Amino acid sequence: MAVADTGSEVESAPQADHPQHKPHSTPYMMLAALGVVYGDIGTSPIYAFRVALGAASASESATRNDILGVLSLIIWVLTIVVAVKYMMFVLRADNKGEGGTLSLMALGRSAFPARPAIILGIGMVGAALFYGDAVITPAISVLSATEGLTIIADGFGPYIVPLTVVILLILFSVQRFGSGGVAIIFGPITLVWFVAIGFAGLRHIIHDPEILLAINPLYMLRFLGHEPVVSLAIIGGVFLAVTGAESVYADLGHFGRKPIVLAWFWVVFPCLLLNYLGQGAFVLAHDGHVGHPFFQMNDGWLLYVMVALATAATVIASQAVITGAYSLTRQAVQLNMLPRMEIRHTSERQSGQIYMPRVNFLMAAVVLLLVLGFRESEGLASAYGIAVTGVMLVTTTLFSIVMIRIWKWPLWSALALTALFGLIELGFLVTNAMKVRDGGWASLVVAFMVVVVMVTWVRGSRLLFEKTRKNEVPLEFLAGNLAKKKPQLVPGTAIFLTSDPLSAPTALMHSLKHYKVLHEQNIILSVVTAPQPKVPDSERVKLEAINDLFMRITLTFGYMEQPNIPRALASCRKQGWKFDIMTTSFFLSRRSLKAAASSGMPMWQDRLFIGLARSAADATEYFQIPTGRVVEIGTQVAI
């Protein structure tokens, strides 16, 4: 197989893409944030209370203490995890305006001169668990919404799974058109959704105000103390109420902290509380019968409206997590944690609007397998919790590094806050781990496969770099010799892409060996990824003249940017070097890899790395180089 040596020696890490649009008013950004940031957590009331209460009651009916205890748990988990942890603290830990697991990892690594590998490993685990979450969210969200049809009529039961599959197939098939047009209505629909679920809950709270007692945390503590064994199963269900909270931080770069915080406290949080309390009041009024309170507490025509709104809301929540998976993959590629993949831009105005065919296909396949395998949202709930709690625990770990190393907080205060969040999330992780056999294995399998791929790619790339570097000639030595004894010179400029700017690129050596000519201008070009989302134009290009024949250029891109080499080189004119694409040829080294007996990796990992390299997107397209200006020269390397 052949792989291009393109030179992306990346050092750091990041989160999701954000569009480049003109500044909007705060109310507009709040509305937009509702559709993207809160779509996931906004659909949790469909299943969270039902699953948690079902675990609390041994029979079909729940007692008054069960209902108040579970509600109190949900209320205070939402308060501590989302309102306190994310809104008050984590959202302030932005990396040049960007948030998310990989951005936090990049921020943490930048605090250490040596950039320890353990932080990179933590970031990999967080990213892998996000993928586990990303494939379960569409499955459980759409499936739980369509299950509302069984409340309308029992005859809909056999059609729930087929209908869910059709909706998901349509959702994934339209991704190639971009989400820009649909996103315009995401915000208003989600706003209607939150108002509707808040109103539905308020109706039943008015009929039974006693349910407001659940706000008292004593009910939570008494419940946990009275039923310590049962509470382990309940806690896993309760945590479903905060699924999607990580999106709050991941989408920080899209909207900024202020609109996200205001949307939470003014709309999302009040409506979620009203709905959960309303579900509790409904169950109390029906002698503790659990059933499906989210849908059942809507009667008459309101039930039809709620089912339709729930379906729309779950599609929006799924769209948000699919887009997040594209963005995370793009960042991982930029950070050399994954091989290059095809990226299609679906908007001329917004750089964040991207579509990745391979990611879309893989996600669609896994999501459909989950729906067909579990067939019920309650079964998927077991698979959901582990991924979400794992990502949150990774965020807390990395956030502690930021507090201590970057914010310079006193050690005791940073550790106290880390302990508060960490112990809660660790407790949730342990309780969810008990559900591995019931479905939790699904997200762990997805995460494990992603970690294996990332570790293999990072390790294999490093070994390949070290192996090829041993056989390369120092660039300064070669340039000096060629300046003294010049070969035949031909007009124009040759640009050699390489990941090692100190050594002569393989393409240059083979060009001299076979053609025995040299261009009048020869550029040794390296592309690096900075540990920040975007790099200002003033820091994009670094020029270094070696002699009359050779010049070294380093192009730096942020991990949120799509590398465009011709456009970046055009900016070199400001530094005195004129780039003319029509007189320039790009030389790429292509290496045909073969598995070796002693590479430093097991044979299976060797073969996996070679397979990943074979599947990598073409460097010419990835760096947006005109195909007519590219010359590829290959060699064979055993690894």
Side-chain angles (χ1 to χ4, degrees), residues 212-553:
L212 295 174
L213 291 172
I215 297 174
N216 187 340
L218 288 177
Y219 282 92
M220 170 184 67
L221 299 175
R222 289 173 185 168
F223 181 70
L224 293 176
H226 186 257
E227 298 283 353
V229 178
V230 177
S231 63
L232 291 176
I234 299 165
I235 287 172
V238 167
F239 201 79
L240 293 173
V242 293
T243 54
E246 189 64 24
S247 299
V248 172
Y249 181 47
D251 289 311
L252 178 61
H254 290 241
F255 308 101
R257 180 176 177 272
K258 185 178 179 181
I260 291 175
V261 172
L262 291 178
W264 170 257
F265 285 108
W266 288 11
V267 179
V268 181
F269 196 29
C271 291
L272 288 177
L273 293 182
L274 286 174
N275 189 264
Y276 283 121
L277 289 167
Q279 288 188 54
F282 176 82
V283 174
L284 270 179
H286 289 76
D287 300 321
H289 178 69
V290 180
H292 205 318
F294 178 84
F295 288 112
Q296 289 175 335
M297 68 179 182
N298 298 280
D299 45 26
W301 62 270
L302 287 175
L303 176 59
Y304 296 91
V305 172
M306 191 58 71
V307 171
L309 276 175
T311 304
T314 52
V315 168
I316 290 172
S318 302
Q319 176 64 60
V321 81
I322 292 169
T323 304
Y326 295 158
S327 298
L328 184 71
T329 304
R330 175 167 144 179
Q331 297 156 26
V333 168
Q334 280 287 76
L335 296 163
N336 205 28
M337 295 163 69
L338 288 174
R340 288 187 307 271
M341 297 186 194
E342 180 186 359
I343 299 175
R344 298 181 189 174
H345 293 264
T346 58
S347 172
E348 295 181 357
R349 297 188 304 159
Q350 297 181 327
S351 66
Q353 299 272 334
I354 60 173
Y355 167 63
M356 304 184 75
R358 188 181 305 172
V359 176
N360 191 68
F361 174 79
L362 291 174
M363 284 190 66
V366 176
V367 168
L368 292 175
L369 283 174
L370 288 171
V371 170
L372 295 173
F374 286 90
R375 306 187 73 84
E376 292 182 355
S377 61
E378 194 163 345
L380 276 168
S382 299
Y384 207 9
I386 294 179
V388 177
T389 53
V391 175
M392 289 185 175
L393 196 57
V394 166
T395 297
T396 298
T397 304
L398 294 173
F399 180 61
S400 67
I401 297 172
V402 171
M403 287 189 290
I404 296 169
R405 300 283 301 192
I406 297 178
W407 292 354
K408 306 297 182 184
W409 278 25
L411 186 61
W412 68 268
S413 59
L415 292 179
L417 204 60
T418 301
L420 171 64
F421 302 141
L423 287 175
I424 293 173
E425 290 159 0
L426 188 61
F428 282 122
L429 184 63
V430 170
T431 55
N432 277 291
M434 296 169 61
K435 302 179 181 179
V436 170
R437 287 188 178 182
D438 298 330
W441 56 267
S443 58
L444 292 180
V445 167
V446 173
F448 177 75
M449 292 174 66
V450 173
V451 166
V452 168
V453 168
M454 285 184 170
V455 169
T456 299
W457 183 254
V458 170
R459 191 179 180 189
S461 298
R462 186 179 297 115
L463 289 172
L464 178 61
F465 176 78
E466 292 171 354
K467 189 160 192 174
T468 55
R469 188 172 185 178
K470 292 178 182 177
N471 302 320
E472 290 179 344
V473 178
L475 180 60
E476 302 280 355
F477 174 79
L478 178 67
N481 284 348
L482 291 176
K484 294 175 185 176
K485 189 178 179 180
K486 295 180 180 179
Q488 179 68 37
L489 298 181
V490 295
T493 300
I495 296 180
F496 299 90
L497 271 73
T498 178
S499 58
D500 182 9
L502 301 179
S503 302
T506 304
L508 171 60
M509 299 302 293
H510 281 264
S511 177
L512 288 169
K513 177 181 177 181
H514 295 289
Y515 305 136
K516 296 180 173 56
V517 295
L518 197 65
H519 284 72
E520 292 174 338
Q521 277 191 315
N522 297 276
I523 309 298
I524 309 302
L525 178 64
S526 296
V527 179
V528 299
T529 301
Q532 60 191 63
K534 293 189 176 295
V535 172
D537 291 339
S538 59
E539 300 174 13
R540 176 83 62 210
V541 181
K542 179 183 177 182
L543 300 178
E544 180 187 351
I546 299 174
N547 57 29
D548 293 340
L549 292 175
F550 289 89
M551 181 164 60
R552 187 184 287 118
I553 296 181

Side-chain angles (χ1 to χ4, degrees), residues 38-51 74 78 141 144 193-194 197 237-245 272 275-276 279 294 314 317 384:
Y38 295 113
D40 193 357
I41 197 172
T43 55
S44 296
I46 299 176
Y47 47 81
F49 180 69
R50 171 171 58 97
V51 171
I74 290 175
L78 281 170
S141 298
S144 62
W193 165 256
F194 279 115
I197 65 174
V238 167
F239 201 79
L240 293 173
V242 293
T243 54
L272 288 177
N275 189 264
Y276 283 121
Q279 288 188 54
F294 178 84
T314 52
Y384 207 9

Side-chain angles (χ1 to χ4, degrees), residues 25-45:
S25 63
T26 298
Y28 177 91
M29 296 301 286
M30 286 173 59
L31 185 62
L34 283 176
V36 177
V37 178
Y38 295 113
D40 193 357
I41 197 172
T43 55
S44 296

